[in-house]
Amino acid sequence: MLPKKLQHKLNKRQEENAFRQLGETNNLIDFSSNDYLGFSKSKHLFNKSLEILDTQNGVQNGATGSRLLSGNHTLYQQVEQQIAAFHNSENALVFNSGYDANIGFFSCVPQRHDIIIYDEYCHASIRDGITMSHAKAYKFEHNNLKHLEQLIDQHSEHVSEEGQCIYVVTESVFSMDGDAPDLVTLSQLCQAKHVHLIIDEAHAVGVFGTHGNGLISKHQLEAMVFARIITFGKALGAHGAAILCSNALRDYLINFSRPFIYTTALPPHTLALIKVAYYELQNQLKHTIKLHHNIEFFKSEISKLKLQELFITSDSAIHCCVISGNDKVKQLSNKLKDNNFNVKAILSPTVPKGKERLRFCLHAFNTEKEISEVLGILTTFV
């Protein structure tokens, strides 16, 4: 038996039709995964990663320990150098997941009496990391740089000369809206105000920039950003994440980031897959070209079907159709499922009440026919 308080919380979730359950593997047409380039099912990348493993000494299935003990496989240095160069960063440090990277960064970098100012739509992993920090945190209105500047000015008055810092945190592409901040103006603002800028690029890597190196690199803002968080479980089709940073910050994270220090390292085959996925990004433009073609086609179909008012404006691979109410949006998701399309319903409390939505994730492997059909079916129900 669960304790009464826990059972009450579960019951409340069911009453609000917000009860989470694990789904089953299906063969529906994919408009829900983060596999933007189709790398997760690439036999070519799978075979290439095996070739890399064959060049290593002996068979090793697991990492055997944390990186500070026995798990620092030779592939780590190769991969970190590769991704640092690809993203034009001084250095990089691999973490086991995007969640671990954000927890690992925010729980140890901002110090007591420091200030963190974050976009109100930042991912749960960022907010969870912030709650583990000893710094004071304040949120600014989504993508509202005027409000951000007001908060920076307000709290700058309370920052002494004793090394206290202000950190500003946002995402280059937001996972639940698919939109992006004005990164150029944001970076210039943070530089002018002498605050440290952190950008989560999870949904930009592989999608934007030269060969998919992200929006910060696309706008050549690398020198103005204190740290970038990137992930490999989305467009790269693998697993894990990294923090792009200076040599000094990397050293600090190795010494003080508990999720890095006290966890078993990623296994060698994951590192091999990350390595070949980056090589594919670097040498094959066809994946990102096809993805952007599908994004533009999706947007043109929305316009043709006069659905613009329902969709949040986005140039990314994420396009959200706002349908108020958990019951209604789940019904629509099931209707699409009945027609062989996998489009996830995003429910409150993941998003605010009244902002529930169908979240369409576009991929390089989707066809124009599939895009037209899924939006045509959506039109009949909304």
Side-chain angles (χ1 to χ4, degrees):
M1 292 288 290
L2 274 178
K4 287 183 179 180
K5 290 180 181 178
L6 305 189
Q7 189 62 54
H8 173 72
K9 292 179 76 172
L10 272 183
N11 294 342
K12 188 175 180 183
R13 276 285 165 89
Q14 290 174 322
E15 291 166 7
E16 295 174 348
N17 205 7
F19 188 72
R20 295 185 174 105
Q21 293 176 286
L22 296 175
E24 297 179 356
T25 302
N26 60 61
N27 294 314
L28 301 176
I29 296 168
D30 183 6
F31 281 99
S32 68
S33 78
N34 295 323
D35 188 23
Y36 302 130
L37 301 177
F39 282 11
S40 76
K41 296 180 180 178
S42 169
K43 187 175 288 188
H44 169 69
L45 296 185
F46 182 85
N47 291 334
K48 283 290 184 182
S49 65
L50 291 181
E51 289 177 14
I52 288 178
L53 289 176
D54 285 342
T55 66
Q56 305 299 311
N57 296 326
V59 174
Q60 186 177 333
N61 292 319
T64 77
S66 72
R67 287 185 68 182
L68 289 168
L69 294 177
S70 58
N72 196 34
H73 195 275
T74 55
L75 279 170
Y76 266 109
Q77 183 178 6
Q78 297 174 31
V79 167
E80 288 173 339
Q81 288 177 349
Q82 178 189 21
I83 63 179
F86 183 84
H87 294 284
N88 193 25
S89 174
E90 185 170 277
N91 217 322
L93 185 66
V94 168
F95 281 74
N96 282 22
S97 70
Y99 193 95
D100 272 356
N102 276 323
I103 292 287
F105 181 92
F106 290 104
S107 63
C108 78
V109 173
Q111 301 293 294
R112 193 178 301 278
H113 304 304
D114 286 345
I115 302 292
I116 305 170
I117 307 175
Y118 64 98
D119 189 292
E120 63 180 337
Y121 285 4
C122 274
H123 191 265
S125 58
I126 294 173
R127 290 184 279 113
D128 287 355
I130 289 171
T131 62
M132 297 171 69
S133 166
H134 294 296
K136 294 181 179 179
Y138 306 88
K139 61 186 176 184
F140 66 94
E141 295 169 3
H142 180 53
N143 286 341
N144 187 334
L145 299 189
K146 287 186 178 179
H147 187 219
L148 170 61
E149 185 173 10
Q150 290 171 3
L151 287 174
I152 292 173
D153 289 342
Q154 176 184 336
H155 294 289
S156 293
E157 299 173 3
H158 305 294
V159 173
S160 71
E161 299 297 324
E162 298 175 2
Q164 290 164 275
C165 296
I166 294 178
Y167 296 91
V168 170
V169 191
T170 190
E171 302 177 24
S172 58
V173 174
F174 283 85
S175 61
M176 287 301 142
D177 284 46
D179 59 349
D182 180 347
L183 290 168
V184 174
T185 304
L186 171 64
S187 300
Q188 292 170 346
L189 170 64
C190 290
Q191 188 175 56
K193 300 290 184 179
H194 306 291
V195 301
H196 296 298
L197 178 60
I198 301 103
I199 304 287
D200 188 313
E201 288 239 84
H203 292 275
V205 171
V207 179
F208 293 104
T210 304
H211 301 283
N213 59 0
L215 279 168
I216 295 301
S217 290
K218 178 182 178 180
H219 296 298
Q220 300 181 331
L221 302 172
E222 298 95 337
M224 302 171 76
V225 178
F226 181 65
R228 285 173 278 167
I229 292 88
I230 59 171
T231 57
F232 312 130
K234 297 175 174 64
L236 273 292
H239 188 71
I243 295 177
L244 304 174
C245 56
S246 65
N247 293 329
L249 179 54
R250 184 178 187 273
D251 286 342
Y252 180 84
L253 291 167
I254 290 170
N255 278 275
F256 294 101
S257 178
R258 295 170 73 85
F260 175 85
I261 297 166
Y262 297 110
T263 193
T264 299
L266 290 172
H269 50 77
T270 297
L271 298 169
L273 182 56
I274 294 167
K275 186 177 177 68
V276 297
Y278 266 99
Y279 184 84
E280 186 76 3
L281 271 186
Q282 184 77 46
N283 293 281
Q284 293 290 342
L285 285 172
K286 61 183 180 181
H287 308 291
T288 51
I289 289 171
K290 182 59 164 59
L291 174 60
H292 279 278
H293 170 81
N294 284 346
I295 291 170
E296 292 306 313
F297 184 76
F298 189 92
K299 289 163 63 179
S300 70
E301 289 293 281
I302 288 174
S303 179
K304 186 171 79 175
L305 295 168
K306 296 181 169 43
L307 294 171
Q308 303 100 309
E309 290 186 3
L310 294 177
F311 277 85
I312 297 170
T313 302
S314 169
D315 294 317
S316 74
I318 301 166
H319 291 259
C320 294
C321 179
V322 178
I323 308 288
S324 181
N326 281 351
D327 292 346
K328 189 171 183 181
V329 76
K330 284 178 76 173
Q331 288 172 7
L332 282 172
S333 178
N334 288 331
K335 295 280 189 184
L336 293 173
K337 186 177 180 180
D338 292 340
N339 284 274
N340 204 36
F341 291 101
N342 193 4
V343 183
K344 292 300 183 188
I346 307 299
L347 313 175
S348 59
T350 300
V351 292
K353 279 193 174 184
K355 297 291 185 180
E356 296 82 4
R357 63 201 58 184
L358 288 173
R359 182 174 180 259
F360 290 82
C361 291
L362 305 179
H363 312 92
F365 55 78
N366 290 134
T367 66
E368 290 186 2
K369 183 173 181 289
E370 291 169 351
I371 292 170
S372 295
E373 284 184 0
V374 73
L375 288 175
I377 295 166
L378 174 67
T379 303
T380 64
F381 294 118
V382 298

